[in-house]
Amino acid sequence: MNLQLKWPLKRKALSILYWTLLFYMVLALSYWWFALEKQNRQIEFIRLQELKIQSGTAQSASQSIESTITDYANRKTIQYTAEGLTFLAFIVLGAVVVFRATRRQFRLSEQQQNWMMAITHELKTPIAVTRLNLETLQKRELETSVRDKLLNNSIAETGRLNQLCSNVLLAAQFDSGNYRANKMPLNLFDVVSRAAEDTRSRYPGYTIEVKGDATANVIAEEWLIVILVSNLLENAVAYSPREKPVTLEIQGNQQNVQLQVSDHGPGIDAAEQKKIFQKFYRTGNELTRQKKGTGLGLYLCKKIAEAHNARISVESQPGKGSRFQVSFPSFHA
């Protein structure tokens, strides 16, 4: 908690320093403009006085020379003003770019820090549960039903651990640009059904329904599609009440095959719908959030969809649940 609270204070101190320096630069630029303009008018006055002395009287001074001196002074004023405004524009533009980049970097640093704490917790939980189950099996003589339950629970936790590791490794591969999907024709309904069955085994209290076109085919890498569906299901189960079903529906036509994952959770605000596919982003307040997660699931869903020339989107209203849609190009043998 203390580590998290240091970041806002540090960012606030740097923001104050940044805007103070920017204000000083603008103030200094304004001062030098006034100083140059004052000097320019003093030079104009001295030259006009010299002209008057050389001409004998002010009335007999050459009007053309006076006009030349005045025009020259006015041109210098325009020059100082144009150069000053141009320099000011570059300062403001640079300040905006630097401020946005710095703010983005601070936000990314905070998200990475929160992600490190979240992933540590997410990894330690299945390890601790599996170790406890194995130690119980090692030290006690248990009934067959209890023993099988502990073994199944351990297998489920290792599966969860494997999914977490796969998400981290796959995100790193996508970020480096080194991953190339090994695509082949797939029956999307079969792949989705297997992913749904695996999620049911890990969350036995939830109802997961699969329906739609059982003949819909796509060109894709099966492992990536399983990760995409599993992440969407994990997200839906995390926010849905147990008594409400999570629905997966597949609809196909000549051009597209659409996968829809619908839940009855709290929904997503319109302002956050554009951000949920960003890396490390998680809805809600970082300091008060209670839902577990790493902020990589939906980011990977977007990357996997892009790797298959597919589009992913979300439709949601607060209090009315969410529906994620992934539209794949159809495949016809």
Side-chain angles (χ1 to χ4, degrees):
M1 181 68 71
N2 291 335
L3 188 60
Q4 285 182 318
L5 292 177
K6 288 180 181 178
W7 276 106
L9 294 176
K10 184 177 179 181
R11 182 169 60 182
K12 184 177 181 180
L14 289 177
S15 295
I16 293 174
L17 177 61
Y18 176 82
W19 290 114
T20 300
L21 290 174
L22 180 60
F23 178 75
Y24 171 79
M25 293 175 65
V26 174
L27 192 64
L29 183 63
S30 301
Y31 168 79
W32 282 110
W33 182 88
F34 282 110
L36 287 172
E37 177 62 12
K38 181 179 180 181
Q39 185 183 56
N40 182 41
R41 293 307 169 181
Q42 288 176 344
I43 294 173
E44 177 190 12
F45 177 77
I46 292 172
R47 287 179 175 176
L48 289 174
Q49 292 300 314
E50 289 178 349
L51 180 62
K52 290 177 182 180
I53 294 173
Q54 291 174 1
S55 300
T57 63
Q59 288 77 14
S60 61
S62 173
Q63 294 295 325
S64 62
I65 298 178
E66 286 186 8
S67 177
T68 301
I69 294 175
T70 302
D71 289 343
Y72 178 79
N74 291 336
R75 287 198 302 272
K76 296 299 290 185
T77 298
I78 295 174
Q79 177 185 346
Y80 299 148
T81 303
E83 290 177 352
L85 290 176
T86 302
F87 191 44
L88 178 62
F90 278 113
I91 289 177
V92 172
L93 180 61
V96 171
V97 172
V98 171
F99 178 74
R100 288 184 175 180
T102 304
R103 185 176 60 178
R104 189 184 305 114
Q105 186 62 37
F106 267 112
R107 187 183 298 115
L108 182 60
S109 297
E110 290 178 5
Q111 290 175 341
Q112 288 177 336
Q113 177 181 316
N114 291 321
W115 178 79
M116 285 299 296
M117 291 186 289
I119 195 64
T120 300
H121 175 73
E122 291 291 318
L123 291 174
K124 288 182 68 175
T125 300
I127 293 174
V129 171
T130 302
R131 179 175 179 178
L132 179 61
N133 290 341
L134 294 177
E135 288 178 348
T136 302
L137 290 170
Q138 184 183 44
K139 296 178 180 179
R140 296 184 182 182
E141 292 293 335
L142 302 173
E143 296 181 0
T144 303
S145 59
V146 177
R147 187 164 140 266
D148 291 342
K149 182 178 179 180
L150 290 177
L151 287 173
N152 290 333
N153 190 18
S154 297
I155 293 173
E157 290 297 330
T158 56
R160 177 184 168 194
L161 181 61
N162 179 66
Q163 183 178 354
L164 287 171
C165 294
S166 297
N167 283 349
V168 174
L169 293 174
L170 186 57
Q173 288 179 316
F174 274 127
D175 288 343
S176 65
N178 294 328
Y179 193 86
R180 295 294 181 271
N182 183 21
K183 303 175 186 178
M184 59 182 62
L186 292 177
N187 183 284
L188 186 61
F189 190 90
D190 291 343
V191 177
V192 169
S193 298
R194 289 197 298 270
E197 184 60 34
D198 180 67
T199 305
R200 290 191 196 100
S201 65
R202 288 186 287 118
Y203 299 95
Y206 289 85
T207 301
I208 300 175
E209 301 176 350
V210 181
K211 60 183 181 179
D213 187 356
T215 63
N217 294 320
V218 297
I219 293 290
E221 181 170 353
E222 181 174 353
W223 180 62
L224 291 181
I225 300 303
V226 169
I227 291 178
L228 182 147
V229 177
S230 297
N231 285 336
L232 290 176
L233 282 175
E234 288 273 353
N235 189 68
V237 168
Y239 292 95
S240 291
R242 287 180 178 267
E243 63 275 9
K244 297 289 186 177
V246 174
T247 305
L248 294 95
E249 184 175 1
I250 299 172
Q251 299 175 350
N253 54 42
Q254 292 295 322
Q255 289 77 32
N256 299 300
V257 174
Q258 189 174 82
L259 167 65
Q260 298 181 353
V261 181
S262 305
D263 63 59
H264 296 83
I268 306 171
D269 291 334
E272 291 192 317
Q273 291 180 21
K274 298 179 181 180
K275 303 177 183 178
I276 57 176
F277 296 106
Q278 297 176 6
K279 190 177 183 180
F280 303 135
Y281 185 82
R282 298 175 65 199
T283 58
N285 188 289
E286 292 288 354
L287 301 180
T288 60
R289 185 187 294 110
Q290 297 180 350
K291 295 294 183 181
K292 61 185 180 180
T294 62
L296 285 178
L298 292 178
Y299 168 76
L300 281 178
C301 289
K302 180 181 179 181
K303 287 296 183 180
I304 292 172
E306 291 174 350
H308 291 86
N309 298 320
R311 300 187 306 274
I312 185 169
S313 60
V314 60
E315 296 178 0
S316 181
Q317 293 183 7
K320 296 185 179 180
S322 304
R323 181 173 64 179
F324 287 85
Q325 301 177 353
V326 187
S327 181
F328 298 90
S330 295
F331 169 73
H332 304 282

